[in-house]
Amino acid sequence: MLAVATRDEQHPVRTQANSGVQPGEDERLAAVAEEALEPPIEPHVELQDYLSGEGCLTLRQVEVLDGGQRRRLDEVLRDPRGLSLRLSPLHGPTTRGQRINRSCAPSAAVLNLIIAEAALELVPQGIAKHPAVRNEAKRREVKPTETLLDRSIHHHAMLSLAEDSKRGRPDLVHLTLLSITGTPLYQSGRVKVYIHTHDDRILELKELTRPPKSYARFRDLVQKLLAEEPEDGLISVYRGSITELLRRIGADFVVGLSTQGKTSGLKELAEEISTKRNPVVLIGGFPKGHFTPETAAKMDAMVRIHPDSLDAHVVAARLVYELERVGQVPG
């Protein structure tokens, strides 16, 4: 029997033996979830081909019922008493045929990092007919509304947009991504990155995904992603606000980095983050201004890490480095 570890109690998990493998054989755990029945789901999940021994397995999107609340099996832990499954809240609609991920790299993220209100969006319909927009789209042989809004190209067209000073800086987002994904902490799978855009779209990077180092390639990639909104792949795209994203993540601590926050050292902040189960840090993905009141209201704390305003990619790199030092990650 396997024990599903919950906050208050343990539920038994039924397993089916694999007749083709002798008990005690030290092989990797290969498990799949049977196609889910229509809700409500029984408070257990059947695992096939269970083998004892060392190994690892990441469980994702397998719905169970825990105290009346829908939750998902998203982590496998091994301890001296055997295999246990950790539950975390399941957000978003469930689908039939949800399966256990066979990956042998269990999630070890110590930080969910959101580039929030990012100046990353396609050209709005309202300025699609502006000569600056049309000429650039024609030159690159794409539709005007499938072109990334870029201040360096569309400056005059953008003057009529609301909050134009916070928009049209995809290069800033690109630099920030490179600063995060090039770090040892990210490459060890312990940073999960999301981009929340000005127009409430979410770009979610799969663990260990690295963006193109060339800005031109990054621009073309993001244009395609925002136009097509793929639901899976190395970078998935879906609609959602900061509130919805935080709910999806299941954050237990949300801190925003802003010059409007309380002054604190990065070392102290990193130490506090390292004590949380599922922390989220918001870094502004815009060139000027501050977080909107709606975003600020979702923060448990707002912190200022330097007397002067710093670029987003500098803030991101410094934060990840401090977390590496706290966690003693070789760099």
Side-chain angles (χ1 to χ4, degrees):
M1 299 287 288
L2 303 182
V4 179
T6 66
R7 181 176 298 178
D8 303 319
E9 59 183 355
Q10 291 187 337
H11 298 296
V13 175
R14 299 183 303 187
T15 64
Q16 298 179 0
N18 183 351
S19 58
V21 180
Q22 296 299 322
E25 192 169 338
D26 187 16
E27 294 183 17
R28 181 178 300 175
L29 176 63
V32 296
E34 292 296 327
E35 182 167 279
L37 301 176
E38 294 293 335
I41 305 300
E42 295 294 329
H44 66 263
V45 59
E46 293 186 359
L47 302 180
Q48 293 181 331
D49 301 330
Y50 170 69
L51 303 176
S52 60
E54 297 299 321
C56 57
L57 176 69
T58 298
L59 303 181
R60 300 181 186 277
Q61 301 298 310
V62 179
E63 187 174 355
V64 297
L65 204 61
D66 174 32
Q69 181 180 7
R70 295 191 184 281
R71 304 174 77 85
R72 73 182 178 194
L73 302 177
D74 69 347
E75 188 173 350
V76 172
L77 304 177
R78 287 188 180 276
D79 57 35
R81 296 170 296 178
L83 182 70
S84 64
L85 309 178
R86 176 174 293 173
L87 303 181
S88 68
L90 174 65
H91 303 296
T94 59
T95 61
R96 292 177 59 84
Q98 291 174 330
R99 298 186 179 276
I100 295 179
N101 185 340
R102 297 191 186 197
S103 167
C104 196
S107 175
V110 296
L111 174 65
N112 296 285
L113 200 156
I114 302 176
I115 304 175
E117 301 177 14
L120 190 72
E121 61 182 301
L122 297 177
V123 168
Q125 186 65 49
I127 62 170
K129 295 183 179 180
H130 191 281
V133 175
R134 295 177 62 184
N135 291 340
E136 176 66 10
K138 182 178 180 180
R139 185 182 70 83
R140 295 180 47 212
E141 299 181 345
V142 295
K143 296 179 181 179
T145 54
E146 293 182 0
T147 304
L148 271 188
L149 186 66
D150 191 327
R151 170 69 69 175
S152 65
I153 301 170
H154 307 132
H155 172 74
H156 293 291
M158 289 179 59
L159 295 178
S160 62
L161 295 177
E163 296 185 303
D164 67 289
S165 63
K166 293 181 65 175
R167 302 167 71 174
R169 287 296 305 274
D171 59 310
L172 186 154
V173 178
H174 183 227
L175 279 174
T176 305
L177 284 177
L178 293 179
S179 297
I180 298 167
T181 59
T183 63
L185 191 66
Y186 180 85
Q187 294 174 17
S188 66
R190 284 184 271 181
V191 180
K192 176 72 173 176
V193 178
Y194 302 84
I195 304 170
H196 163 259
T197 70
H198 181 273
D199 57 349
D200 278 344
R201 300 194 201 194
I202 309 297
L203 286 77
E204 179 177 340
L205 278 67
K206 184 174 290 187
E207 287 84 351
L208 305 181
T209 297
R210 303 283 295 275
K213 292 185 177 181
S214 162
Y215 172 70
R217 289 184 59 203
F218 171 78
R219 175 199 60 204
D220 293 344
L221 170 65
V222 173
Q223 282 180 172
K224 184 178 178 65
L225 290 171
L226 293 178
E228 298 180 358
E229 295 188 354
E231 296 181 357
D232 53 19
L234 296 179
I235 302 178
S236 56
V237 182
Y238 46 90
R239 305 293 178 117
S241 64
I242 281 289
T243 301
E244 292 165 335
L245 177 56
L246 292 175
R247 186 183 301 119
R248 183 186 183 99
I249 293 172
D252 65 336
F253 178 66
V254 181
V255 59
L257 303 184
S258 170
T259 55
Q260 292 184 321
K262 180 180 178 181
T263 301
S264 173
L266 260 181
K267 179 181 178 181
E268 291 74 19
L269 177 60
E271 289 174 347
E272 183 174 10
I273 289 172
S274 67
T275 66
K276 305 301 181 179
R277 180 185 60 83
N278 201 20
V280 172
V281 173
L282 278 67
I283 296 176
F286 41 85
K288 296 180 180 179
H290 303 285
F291 291 116
T292 63
E294 292 76 17
T295 298
K298 301 302 177 182
M299 301 176 186
D300 297 309
M302 187 180 291
V303 174
R304 178 173 188 157
I305 63 171
H306 195 272
D308 300 324
S309 178
L310 300 175
D311 290 340
H313 70 277
V314 175
V315 173
R318 289 191 172 193
L319 172 64
V320 173
Y321 175 67
E322 288 297 337
L323 283 169
E324 289 174 350
R325 296 212 301 175
V326 169
Q328 299 182 346
V329 176

